[in-house]
Amino acid sequence: MKNPWVKGVSVLIVAGVAVGVNVLGYTKTKQAQQAQRIEQAVTTISNQQKQLETIQTAIDAAYEDETQDLLKPNVTVESMTKIENNLNRLKVTAADFSLSAKDLPAEVESLGQQKAQLQTQLQIVSEKVKLQQQLLKLFTNEIINFQEAVNDVIIQ
């Protein structure tokens, strides 16, 4: 018969090797998952860039001209809410992907700034739309063109 001491040491060695293999496998899996998240984030961010450009175009299209003073008559609160929802869904920061900033390309920071600027622009447009709707409630005529001065409107 074997010595019980040798048997105990053998069991400890086998257990140590098993734990080591599990730790090594866990570490490799975590690294692979991290690499996959980074790759997915980079792909998603490139798509988000295109969507930011689309949202910028939609915001610019809400105005009559380049001065961005007057809104087009067909701009509604619902259309601005839809654009705002699309903008809020965009993920453009490392925190959105549960990653650190050093893991993502440098262009991600500029996308975050661009998204913040678009949110500010969208807020301005939304406030103008709400103001126009409040002004329209003051008059009896349904449609008032804010681009032309007309004297046939009646205040309620």
Side-chain angles (χ1 to χ4, degrees):
M1 290 212 165
K2 290 188 177 182
N3 188 356
W5 182 81
V6 173
K7 199 184 246 185
V9 170
S10 302
V11 168
L12 284 177
I13 291 173
V14 169
V17 169
V19 168
V21 167
N22 283 331
V23 168
L24 184 62
Y26 177 76
T27 304
K28 292 289 185 182
T29 303
K30 280 297 234 185
Q31 289 174 348
Q33 288 175 349
Q34 180 75 1
Q36 185 179 12
R37 277 200 312 256
I38 291 171
E39 183 180 326
Q40 181 182 6
V42 169
T43 304
T44 302
I45 287 172
S46 67
N47 292 337
Q48 304 297 341
Q49 171 66 34
K50 293 173 187 169
Q51 291 181 359
L52 283 173
E53 292 170 2
T54 303
I55 290 172
Q56 178 68 55
T57 303
I59 291 172
D60 291 342
Y63 289 105
E64 279 289 323
D65 54 19
E66 293 82 29
T67 61
Q68 295 187 344
D69 290 331
L70 298 174
L71 297 175
K72 290 183 178 176
N74 60 350
V75 177
T76 63
V77 173
E78 292 80 19
S79 64
M80 289 300 107
T81 303
K82 182 179 175 184
I83 294 172
E84 184 177 9
N85 290 339
N86 289 338
L87 183 60
N88 289 335
R89 275 187 267 152
L90 297 181
K91 296 180 178 182
V92 294
T93 63
D96 292 338
F97 295 101
S98 302
L99 297 171
S100 64
K102 64 181 173 104
D103 293 334
L104 296 176
E107 66 188 31
V108 173
E109 186 177 326
S110 67
L111 290 178
Q113 293 171 353
Q114 185 178 359
K115 180 179 177 182
Q117 290 172 348
L118 288 176
Q119 286 173 327
T120 303
Q121 290 175 1
L122 188 61
Q123 183 66 33
I124 292 169
V125 172
S126 296
E127 289 173 4
K128 286 183 179 183
V129 169
K130 289 175 185 174
L131 181 63
Q132 280 185 354
Q133 287 188 343
Q134 290 172 350
L135 285 173
L136 287 174
K137 290 179 183 177
L138 294 175
F139 299 98
T140 56
N141 294 354
E142 268 306 304
I143 305 284
I144 294 177
N145 188 352
F146 288 100
Q147 286 73 30
E148 295 178 10
V150 179
N151 289 330
D152 65 348
V153 293
I154 301 170
I155 296 176
Q156 290 183 353

